């Protein structure tokens, strides 16, 4: 009965109600997007780190993986130290570099990773074979589009370009053996994988035994943080970063994003609250006479309060449902724009839909709609009946 009366009151001003629902839907969409953005990058980054089962990364002391061009010297010795720990079941050294491939009268520049194919965690093999041989190279689709190379082709690959002399430090003929998808690769970035020892050799004497990064997999049930501390004590030239510490560092760098999301989300919630409050207040003011007559014929104050609160709740619920669809659409569009930012891994999502967060946002909006109806409902239910009827009759 109360819900039917509330619905009838809203239908009496259909256009105004529809506009209010649209306004709440926009506020709900913005609130949902801010909630998704505040947690999306963090969760997306965590899933990316754990996607290949490696729980610890080693980077040059004081840096993050591939944050600088710095490398770790003495790769063979460090691998031997790490493999001596029975809790470490896989050690994957990786060397990053830039290679240059002449194609006709131009040169294609590409990222290159020196890897040990049997323990690598950087790519997925789509077709062909891993770069196991010393003269093998596996490439991604962007590299194929840039060079026109196919599996089986032989490429002249150079490293160490000197822009003043326009010469290369070293070059080697490599055979394309496979097609890859790099897990941490940026969008539209040509990338390749080469055997670690081959890329070290092409880097010259200064790169003979270097690596940019180590990825470690520990046995199930092992204490990752204890192993991380053991590495930092035993290998002082590296920073050992577990998934937990990496996420903590990312959290620190993304604190501005979260603060912005919190402020905009709070503003959205407040705007939704004001919209519903305004509409319900205006509606109640127009129906003062009707409400007073209901009181005069015996309708209780509680009934009046509940009916008006339901009006606010109906507007909020309808706006929340519309906002859910609108928010998901805008999040998908914005994510496609932000994900194309140069240098970011293509697997990173800025807006990650998480049901719990979405329902929390929608629940807060609905509660704000309920709260928005409280003041006008109590005001309407508390009006003196005789005085109000007399004023209405005179008006």
């Amino acid at each position: 009965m109360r819900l039917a009366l509330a619905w009838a009151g809203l239908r009496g001003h259909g256009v105004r109600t529809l506009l209010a629902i649209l306004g709440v839907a926009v506020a709900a969409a913005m609130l949902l997007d801010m909630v998704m953005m505040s947690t999306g990058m963090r969760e997306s980054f965590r899933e990316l780190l754990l996607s290949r089962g490696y729980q610890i990364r080693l980077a040059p002391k004081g840096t993050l993986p591939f944050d600088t061009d710095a490398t770790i010297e003495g790769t063979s010795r460090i691998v031997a130290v790490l493999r001596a720990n029975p809790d470490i079941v896989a050690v994957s050294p990786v060397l990053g570099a830039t290679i240059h491939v002449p194609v006709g009268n131009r040169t294609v520049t590409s990222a290159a990773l020196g890897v040990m194919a049997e323990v690598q965690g950087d790519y997925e093999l789509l077709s062909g074979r891993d770069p196991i041989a010393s003269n093998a190279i596996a490439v991604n689709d962007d590299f194929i589009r840039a060079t026109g190379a196919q599996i089986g082709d032989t490429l002249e690959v150079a490293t160490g370009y000197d822009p003043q002399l326009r010469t290369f430090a070293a070059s080697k003929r490599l055979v394309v053996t496979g097609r890859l998808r790099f897990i941490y690769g940026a969008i539209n970035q040509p990338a390749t994988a080469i055997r670690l020892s081959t890329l070290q050799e092409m880097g010259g004497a200064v790169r003979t035994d270097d690596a940019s990064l180590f990825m470690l997999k520990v046995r199930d049930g092992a204490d990752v943080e204890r192993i991380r501390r053991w590495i930092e004590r035993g290998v002082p030239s590296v920073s050992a970063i577990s998934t937990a510490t990496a996420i903590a560092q990312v959290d620190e760098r993304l604190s501005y994003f979260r603060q912005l999301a919190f402020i905009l989300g709070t503003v959205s919630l407040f705007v939704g609250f004001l919209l519903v409050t305004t509409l319900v207040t205006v509606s109640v003011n127009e129906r003062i006479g009707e409400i007073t007559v209901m009181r005069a014929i015996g309708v209780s104050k509680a009934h009046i309060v509940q009916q008006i609160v339901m009006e606010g709740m109906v507007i909020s619920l309808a706006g929340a449902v519309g906002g859910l669809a609108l928010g998901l659409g805008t999040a998908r569009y914005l994510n496609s724009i932000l994900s194309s930012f140069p240098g970011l891994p293509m697997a990173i999502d800025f807006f990650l839909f998480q049901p719990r967060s979405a329902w929390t946002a929608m629940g807060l909006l609905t509660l704000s709609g309920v709260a928005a109806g409280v003041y006008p409902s109590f005001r309407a239910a508390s009006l003196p009946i005789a005085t109000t009827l007399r004023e209405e009759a005179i008006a």
Side-chain angles (χ1 to χ4, degrees):
M1 180 66 179
R2 293 173 180 81
L3 182 60
L5 289 173
W7 178 242
L10 293 173
R11 287 185 60 188
H13 298 86
V15 174
R16 188 171 65 192
T17 301
L18 178 61
L19 291 175
I21 290 174
L22 290 175
V24 174
V26 172
M30 192 170 178
L31 176 62
L32 177 62
D33 286 348
M34 292 304 104
V35 171
M36 290 170 68
M37 190 174 78
S38 66
T39 58
M41 283 194 71
R42 182 182 188 278
E43 290 303 312
S44 179
F45 185 71
R46 188 180 68 83
E47 291 175 5
L48 183 64
L49 288 180
L50 295 174
S51 61
R52 301 289 286 184
Y54 287 88
Q55 300 99 325
I56 299 177
R57 272 83 175 167
L58 308 186
K61 192 72 176 179
T63 70
L64 291 175
F66 291 115
D67 209 22
T68 69
D69 293 331
T71 57
I72 304 167
E73 298 179 350
T75 300
S76 304
R77 179 185 58 80
I78 294 174
V79 169
V81 170
L82 297 174
R83 285 178 176 168
N85 188 322
D87 287 333
I88 299 175
V89 296
V91 180
S92 175
V94 181
L95 176 62
T98 300
I99 62 171
H100 310 275
V101 180
V103 179
N105 58 357
R106 62 189 176 93
T107 300
V108 174
T109 300
S110 168
L113 292 181
V115 299
M116 298 172 69
E118 62 275 17
V119 290
Q120 67 79 26
D122 292 281
Y123 65 77
E124 294 175 351
L125 182 66
L126 303 179
S127 60
R129 292 178 286 108
D130 288 298
I132 296 174
S134 61
N135 66 338
I137 182 172
V139 301
N140 70 351
D141 288 343
D142 292 308
F143 183 90
I144 292 174
R145 281 191 289 272
T147 62
Q150 299 295 327
I151 294 177
D153 289 352
T154 299
L155 304 175
E156 187 72 26
V157 178
T159 59
Y161 178 66
D162 187 330
Q164 293 183 339
L165 302 177
R166 296 186 178 182
T167 59
F168 297 103
S171 65
K172 189 178 182 69
R173 292 176 67 81
L174 301 177
V175 179
V176 180
T177 60
R179 176 171 155 259
L180 310 176
R181 185 184 75 83
F182 286 90
I183 297 169
Y184 310 102
I187 191 168
N188 297 325
Q189 180 188 37
T192 64
I194 302 172
R195 198 167 84 163
L196 176 62
S197 58
T198 300
L199 194 59
Q200 288 174 330
E201 177 188 337
M202 294 175 67
V206 295
R207 293 284 184 267
T208 302
D209 197 24
D210 283 10
S212 304
L213 165 74
F214 288 81
M215 299 169 67
L216 310 182
K217 192 179 293 185
V218 304
R219 68 171 176 81
D220 293 339
D223 186 339
V224 175
E225 288 302 316
R226 180 180 59 78
I227 298 172
R228 184 187 67 79
R229 291 191 294 271
W230 174 83
I231 294 171
E232 289 205 322
R233 287 194 302 270
V235 189
S237 61
V238 304
S239 290
I241 305 165
S242 65
T243 301
T245 54
I247 290 175
Q249 292 181 5
V250 169
D251 275 345
E252 186 178 348
R253 293 193 176 196
L254 295 179
S255 60
Y256 294 112
F257 271 99
R258 288 200 307 280
Q259 291 175 22
L260 177 66
F262 177 78
I263 292 171
L264 293 180
T266 303
V267 170
S268 303
L269 190 62
F270 191 60
V271 168
F273 172 79
L274 289 180
L275 275 173
V276 177
T277 303
T278 302
L279 178 73
V280 174
T281 301
V282 170
S283 175
V284 167
N285 286 339
E286 290 178 346
R287 293 154 46 209
I288 285 293
E290 171 191 330
I291 293 171
T292 308
V293 169
M294 290 174 66
R295 290 285 321 284
I297 62 176
V299 177
S300 66
K301 286 185 178 181
H303 182 108
I304 299 294
V305 169
Q306 291 168 9
Q307 177 184 332
I308 296 174
V309 168
M310 280 184 183
E311 291 181 18
M313 190 169 66
V314 168
I315 294 173
S316 297
L317 282 174
V321 172
L324 181 63
L326 183 62
L328 291 176
T330 53
R332 185 174 181 179
Y333 174 69
L334 292 173
N335 195 62
S336 66
I337 295 175
L338 295 173
S339 296
S340 62
F341 195 79
L344 284 178
M346 67 181 78
I348 287 288
D349 288 319
F350 283 79
F351 297 85
L352 186 65
F353 178 75
Q354 296 176 292
R356 183 177 178 181
S357 299
W359 297 131
T360 300
M362 297 301 105
L364 285 173
L365 190 66
T366 304
L367 284 176
S368 75
V370 173
V374 170
Y375 165 71
S377 64
F378 272 101
R379 177 174 171 273
S382 302
L383 289 173
I385 298 175
T387 304
T388 305
L389 285 177
R390 184 171 60 254
E391 290 175 352
E392 286 292 309
I394 294 173

